[in-house]
Amino acid sequence: NEGNEYFREKDYRRAVVAYSEALKKNCEDPELKAVLHTNRGAAQFYLGNYRSALNDAIQAKKLKPAHLKAIIRGALCHMELKNFSEAIAWCEEGLRIDSKEKKLVEVRAKADKLKGRELEGTLLEIRADFSTRWHGRAVMGIDLLCERNIKLVLEPSNEEEEISDGLAELSIDGFHSDNATGAKVHLDADGNLNWPVLFLYPEHEQTDFIAAFHENSRFIDHLMVMFAELPPWDLERKYLPSNIELYFEDEERAEMYKLNPEHTLLQVLQHQRYFVKAGTPTVLAFVKHSPFSKKYFSGKTVHRL
């Protein structure tokens, strides 16, 4: 009930925490557990945490295979993650339950269209549109970064695409992030930037992706939400918000910088040695004093922000 109240107020972070607390009670009622996972997935979705939302949809579907809300949420998550084949599969599964479900029909059609789009056609469209429609907005994007003292590094995939794709990294709505999800930084109504941010966990070769990390949000706030419930790969149950250390790497100098989790994303991006690559800030997460982290940092120069 507390989670539902937060959800109605659009306080999705607190809703996630409330639903997570409920799930920790290990209720024996599979129907209720399915609802909790579905509701938490919806809150995660609105926060832009599509992978976490998808995980909840998967859990809800395991508990209640015919749960249409979970299936719709899973399909929408796959769409946001650009997993069009998976989105189609989820839609077909749901349509076998209810062939007239409007949302699934719409998502299925959209996924078909996007899956069939040729990469070459997209590149031609970018080349044709850049000089006439994107140039002014790209300059505006560069100005926004300069005002904030943020350094962006564009990394075209090959020499042939250096002009068409490299310049077009700064797109109409922001700075296009050519990553697996297609998420990109955007300017909100209050004039603040919201970035796609990638969290790497080297010890377990796992990742987390936040599609819209507000530049004035603190890292600790996101950690509290991300680890309100321990991830399934943390078998030793050691990835607690208070037990996690965050770093970024200066590849040019082969040095590491330890972040203060109380700092905002903007404070970190403004560091003189932080370079945003391909439009996606990246941080590495380790467990304090773990054998892996000690070995990882052995012989490396580490600075503290």
Side-chain angles (χ1 to χ4, degrees):
N1 289 339
E2 183 180 294
N4 290 346
E5 186 62 31
Y6 283 133
F7 194 95
R8 282 191 289 269
E9 295 172 358
K10 298 185 178 181
D11 192 341
Y12 300 121
R13 287 188 172 83
R14 287 183 177 174
V16 167
V17 173
Y19 293 135
S20 297
E21 287 298 316
L23 284 164
K24 288 178 183 178
K25 300 298 181 183
N26 291 321
C27 172
E28 296 298 323
D29 182 354
E31 181 86 15
L32 179 55
K33 288 177 72 174
V35 170
L36 287 168
H37 277 293
T38 302
N39 288 3
R40 187 174 68 175
Q44 293 279 29
F45 185 89
Y46 286 115
L47 286 170
N49 301 332
Y50 302 123
R51 291 188 190 279
S52 296
L54 177 59
N55 287 336
D56 272 319
I58 291 170
Q59 292 302 317
K61 191 155 69 77
K62 284 181 180 178
L63 291 161
K64 188 180 178 182
H67 194 12
L68 271 180
K69 283 188 177 181
I71 293 172
I72 292 170
R73 183 65 57 198
L76 291 171
C77 288
H78 278 303
M79 289 295 291
E80 293 294 338
L81 295 168
K82 304 294 186 261
N83 301 330
F84 302 124
S85 295
E86 289 84 350
I88 290 170
W90 278 63
C91 287
E92 289 179 345
E93 184 176 352
L95 290 170
R96 284 195 291 270
I97 299 169
D98 182 355
S99 61
K100 297 180 180 179
E101 170 52 55
K102 184 178 178 182
K103 191 64 178 179
L104 290 175
V105 172
E106 291 176 354
V107 174
R108 176 71 167 80
K110 185 176 181 181
D112 266 335
K113 179 180 178 181
L114 293 174
K115 182 183 176 184
R117 180 178 294 171
E118 293 286 337
L119 174 62
E120 183 59 32
T122 303
L123 293 178
L124 287 173
E125 182 182 341
I126 290 173
R127 292 188 180 100
D129 288 352
F130 175 74
S131 61
T132 57
R133 296 199 294 115
W134 289 9
H135 182 70
R137 306 274 180 103
V139 171
M140 288 172 61
I142 293 171
D143 287 344
L144 287 172
L145 294 181
C146 289
E147 289 172 7
R148 289 164 168 78
N149 194 29
I150 296 174
K151 297 163 287 298
L152 186 72
V153 178
L154 301 180
E155 295 184 314
S157 57
N158 56 51
E159 291 182 3
E160 181 183 353
E161 296 177 4
E162 184 168 0
I163 293 178
S164 62
D165 285 349
L167 290 176
E169 289 284 351
L170 303 184
S171 70
I172 292 177
D173 298 318
F175 321 101
H176 176 70
S177 171
D178 191 18
N179 55 36
T181 70
K184 56 188 176 183
V185 61
H186 63 274
L187 196 67
D188 63 24
D190 297 321
N192 298 304
L193 292 178
N194 291 265
W195 293 85
V197 175
L198 185 64
F199 286 76
L200 306 178
Y201 308 98
E203 182 173 359
H204 297 277
E205 297 182 347
Q206 296 287 333
T207 63
D208 268 326
F209 183 76
I210 297 177
F213 193 132
H214 192 287
E215 62 181 350
N216 292 323
S217 290
R218 303 180 306 166
F219 279 89
I220 187 60
D221 296 329
H222 281 278
L223 291 178
M224 293 296 289
V225 172
M226 292 160 63
F227 293 95
E229 184 173 298
L230 292 173
W233 45 263
D234 182 16
L235 300 179
E236 298 179 41
R237 304 178 66 83
K238 57 186 181 181
Y239 278 79
L240 304 171
S242 60
N243 208 28
I244 296 173
E245 293 181 335
L246 300 177
Y247 296 81
F248 74 80
E249 186 172 7
D250 182 347
E251 295 181 5
E252 182 180 330
R253 296 182 179 178
E255 296 177 347
M256 305 290 294
Y257 288 83
K258 182 180 177 182
L259 312 187
N260 180 345
E262 299 289 335
H263 280 177
T264 64
L265 174 61
L266 180 59
Q267 287 176 296
V268 173
L269 297 184
Q270 289 177 328
H271 190 274
Q272 61 181 354
R273 295 306 304 169
Y274 198 101
F275 299 90
V276 179
K277 292 188 176 181
T280 307
T282 301
V283 296
L284 293 86
F286 299 87
V287 173
K288 291 179 183 177
H289 311 305
S290 69
F292 179 87
S293 63
K294 289 178 181 177
K295 182 178 179 181
Y296 188 93
F297 292 111
S298 177
K300 288 185 171 70
T301 301
V302 179
H303 303 278
R304 188 182 183 91
L305 267 64

